Amino acid sequence: MASRTVLPLRDRLGSLTSGTLAWLYAAILLIPFYYFISSSFKTNEEIFESPLALPTSWDLSNFATAFRQADLGLAIANSALTTISALVLTLLLALPAAFALARAQGRLGKVIENVFNLGFLIPAFAALFPTFLLAAAVGLFHTRTFVVLLLPATALPLSIVILTAFMRTIPRELEEAASMDGASTLQVLRQVYLPICIPGIATVLLLNFLSFWNSYLYPLILIGPDTAQRTIQVALPTLKVDAGTDYGVLMAGTLLTLLPVYLVYTVLQKQMQKALVSGAVKG
């Protein structure tokens, strides 16, 4: 009969304490999330009189009102179009750049990589006025097109750093074998590097999706008041009117903006977990 391993008392206490603290932290996070969801089905009176009670009815009138007042259907479509276009453009620019940096062995590659790293030092507010002038100069001010072109520029530093780190872990022998079989540089990137870098690509997509979807300042300034092009983050504040704020409607509209984030995270979380585990093992 196999003997059971008995953990020391200190290890058992440490495990019990860490588990208890983890569940307590999760419960603390769930309370505002529950309040947020339940409030989206309540009236203002119910929210203030019984903030933690369940709604008296689960009707979708707040969601319908949010859709109608802020034209959220069009705003969600604009955000989806802007975000997806910016994500595709980011990958088209970041993948070749990361591939070149990962293969570079000279001092020039290090210099170029440090130039990309300088992008982390530029705060968003510092670039706002020059971006405004650039949009006006090229005739794309108050257009969604300029936002699509701008968002990848803000995401390239982090995207290139992540993808370069992944590509550097790929054995050089795989590239040499593919080259000996007659593969071109583009084929090496597409057939050797990209399949192995799927976790890194998923990480870049998820991080950039969160950034692009939740972007507020630049779409507000660059797209302006045009309701036909405004994104969901710009449309949401229009639910607050001078006569007063219907917090149930505001909560319902905000909940609608979180659903795409949850769906994207659900799709990409496995690949991102692979990226984290891979980084931990290699580190």
Side-chain angles (χ1 to χ4, degrees):
M1 185 175 180
S3 59
R4 296 176 59 185
T5 302
V6 180
L7 293 175
L9 179 60
R10 191 174 73 173
D11 291 345
R12 282 182 289 170
L13 288 176
S15 178
L16 179 63
T17 303
S18 61
T20 302
L21 291 176
W23 280 107
L24 180 61
Y25 181 68
I28 293 174
L29 292 179
L30 284 176
I31 291 175
F33 188 63
Y34 161 77
Y35 172 78
F36 174 68
I37 295 179
S38 63
S39 296
S40 63
F41 294 92
K42 295 179 180 179
T43 63
N44 277 357
E45 290 77 12
E46 291 177 314
I47 291 175
F48 290 107
E49 290 177 1
S50 52
L52 295 180
L54 289 172
T56 55
S57 63
W58 295 90
D59 65 272
L60 302 177
S61 58
N62 286 342
F63 295 90
T65 303
F67 255 92
R68 184 179 64 256
Q69 286 186 359
D71 202 0
L72 291 186
L74 180 59
I76 291 175
N78 287 332
S79 287
L81 178 61
T82 302
T83 301
I84 293 173
S85 300
L87 286 174
V88 171
L89 185 56
T90 301
L91 284 183
L92 289 177
L93 295 173
L95 284 171
F99 178 60
L101 290 175
R103 298 168 77 243
Q105 296 180 343
R107 186 172 298 178
L108 180 60
K110 288 290 184 182
V111 172
I112 296 176
E113 185 175 0
N114 290 332
V115 170
F116 280 112
N117 291 337
L118 290 176
F120 294 110
L121 304 178
I122 303 176
F125 285 99
L128 181 60
F129 187 65
T131 303
F132 165 78
L133 294 179
L134 178 61
V138 298
L140 294 177
F141 187 55
H142 281 180
T143 64
R144 187 174 50 214
T145 303
F146 191 82
V147 176
V148 172
L149 297 175
L150 171 69
L151 291 178
T154 64
L156 278 178
L158 180 60
S159 301
I160 291 175
V161 167
I162 293 175
L163 292 174
T164 301
F166 267 88
M167 291 184 180
R168 281 179 176 159
T169 63
I170 298 175
R172 195 61 78 107
E173 290 79 7
L174 294 177
E175 179 183 347
E176 294 174 354
S179 299
M180 291 178 63
D181 291 337
S184 64
T185 303
L186 183 59
Q187 288 174 327
V188 170
L189 171 61
R190 188 175 68 250
Q191 299 175 5
V192 177
Y193 279 78
L194 292 188
I196 301 177
C197 289
I198 291 299
I201 294 173
T203 302
V204 168
L205 285 176
L206 181 58
L207 294 176
N208 288 337
F209 176 84
L210 295 175
S211 176
F212 296 167
W213 183 267
N214 294 322
S215 180
Y216 173 74
L217 179 62
Y218 280 97
L220 174 66
I221 301 299
L222 298 177
I223 295 178
D226 187 1
T227 57
Q229 298 190 76
R230 69 184 181 188
T231 60
I232 184 65
Q233 305 300 337
V234 179
L236 268 181
T238 62
L239 292 173
K240 183 177 180 180
V241 296
D242 294 335
T245 301
D246 191 333
Y247 292 100
V249 174
L250 185 60
M251 294 284 190
T254 306
L255 183 60
L256 291 173
T257 70
L258 297 180
L259 292 179
V261 176
Y262 174 76
L263 293 176
V264 171
Y265 177 77
T266 302
V267 172
L268 297 178
Q269 65 172 336
K270 289 184 178 180
Q271 293 297 333
M272 190 169 183
Q273 289 171 0
K274 289 181 181 179
L276 295 175
V277 172
S278 175
V281 172
K282 289 168 185 172

